[in-house]
Amino acid sequence: MKANPELHPLFFCIYLCIVRSDMKKSSKNRLTLHQQALFPKETLFDKIARAVCRSQTLPRKELYEAWEVAKRIRRHFRGGRIVDLACGHGLVSHILLLLDDTSPNALAVDTHIPENAKTLSQTLIKTWPRLKDRIFFRQMPLEQAELSSRDIVVSVHACGTLTDTVIEKALSARAKLAVLPCCHDLAACDTGGLEGWMDGPLAVDATRAFKLACKGYTVMTKKIPVEITPKNRLLMAYPNDGEST
């Protein structure tokens, strides 16, 4: 059902109520031009949401995931180059720059960059011109990304052992880290022998946190709302020899 601007105001309000009632944050339905009216406020989130709607590139779930992860990262980590590994469309990179303009730029890396990632980026840059020439997409293996200790390494739902690759990259550079793991491969991921006390995916993430602590990192465990995704554990860490902000 498409919104008709010629509808009587009462009917249009009823239409919005019906659509809003089906606005599950976990929905994998792609946002389109017709959903812009569902984000009417002048908050940064609603402005980003309208831009994502105009780009017609992402499901609703990815919008909410990226926003919830990015705002939690910025509560603790300021400045620094953003390195978004397994970046997908790169929405997290854009939001992190919008939330803190002191980051110079963002490097978005994936083995396959979706064709419409450029469309999303151009739409966001058109809305916020200050993002121009600050987002760099690179299609290559994650292992080839060159990092420094000044970077903030992020990854949203890098599947299985890919999250471990991201963690290893951050550790090798002594960089700040924020990962939202998913698709835990219990046959390949290290459970630390904890699966007798807790479910397998939690054992994997607990072992990851312990590994970071053993490597001299301060660990912060967060969650994003479960109504967006049940894979909602956000693991953040920074080296003890550095600053969290």
Side-chain angles (χ1 to χ4, degrees):
M1 179 177 179
K2 296 181 178 180
N4 184 347
E6 296 182 359
L7 283 174
H8 185 280
L10 177 59
F11 293 138
F12 187 67
C13 288
I14 294 173
Y15 161 79
L16 285 181
C17 289
I18 293 173
V19 175
R20 283 194 177 112
S21 68
D22 193 39
M23 273 288 287
K24 292 182 179 179
K25 294 180 180 180
S26 61
S27 172
K28 295 183 180 180
N29 292 333
R30 183 175 296 189
L31 290 165
T32 69
L33 294 169
H34 306 295
Q35 278 84 53
Q36 287 187 88
L38 301 175
F39 306 97
K41 300 177 183 178
E42 288 306 303
T43 62
L44 179 59
F45 172 74
D46 275 29
K47 289 178 180 179
I48 292 170
R50 291 197 297 271
V52 171
C53 289
R54 290 194 297 275
S55 74
Q56 304 188 97
T57 58
L58 288 180
R60 191 181 309 152
K61 175 177 179 284
E62 291 191 25
L63 165 67
Y64 283 100
E65 279 177 349
W67 172 255
E68 295 294 339
V69 168
K71 71 179 184 180
R72 282 164 175 76
I73 291 173
R74 282 311 195 191
R75 286 172 187 163
H76 297 277
F77 301 154
R78 310 293 290 184
R81 180 183 68 154
I82 304 302
V83 181
D84 186 0
L85 298 179
C87 66
H89 290 80
L91 179 59
V92 173
S93 297
H94 292 74
I95 296 177
L96 285 169
L97 293 188
L98 290 174
L99 287 172
D100 180 13
D101 210 33
T102 65
S103 285
N105 51 55
L107 175 65
V109 180
D110 212 326
T111 53
H112 173 71
I113 304 292
E115 290 185 8
N116 55 9
K118 183 177 180 180
T119 301
L120 173 64
S121 185
Q122 288 176 337
T123 304
L124 290 164
I125 290 170
K126 184 176 181 180
T127 308
W128 289 279
R130 70 178 186 271
L131 294 177
K132 186 178 180 181
D133 299 326
R134 294 174 63 195
I135 312 285
F136 303 97
F137 284 93
R138 295 290 184 269
Q139 185 165 289
M140 62 184 184
L142 306 191
E143 293 84 355
Q144 294 181 9
E146 295 185 2
L147 307 181
S148 81
S149 60
R150 298 182 297 277
D151 293 334
I152 301 174
V153 178
V154 304
S155 188
V156 176
H157 282 174
C159 290
T161 58
L162 202 54
T163 290
D164 297 299
T165 300
V166 174
I167 292 173
E168 288 296 335
K169 288 293 295 182
L171 282 170
S172 67
R174 304 299 289 174
K176 300 180 182 72
L177 170 73
V179 292
L180 189 77
C182 80
C183 302
H184 300 73
D185 183 350
L186 300 184
C189 295
D190 185 5
T191 63
L194 299 173
E195 64 271 29
W197 286 353
M198 58 185 72
D199 69 78
L202 179 57
V204 170
D205 289 339
T207 301
R208 287 166 171 161
F210 180 68
K211 177 180 180 179
L212 285 162
C214 289
K215 294 289 186 177
Y217 270 64
T218 295
V219 173
M220 296 175 285
T221 53
K222 310 289 182 180
K223 287 183 178 180
I224 67 171
V226 70
E227 59 264 29
I228 299 172
T229 174
K231 300 180 179 73
N232 65 336
R233 288 189 291 271
L234 177 62
L235 175 59
M236 299 174 58
Y238 62 91
N240 294 334
D241 48 344
E243 298 291 335
S244 64
T245 57

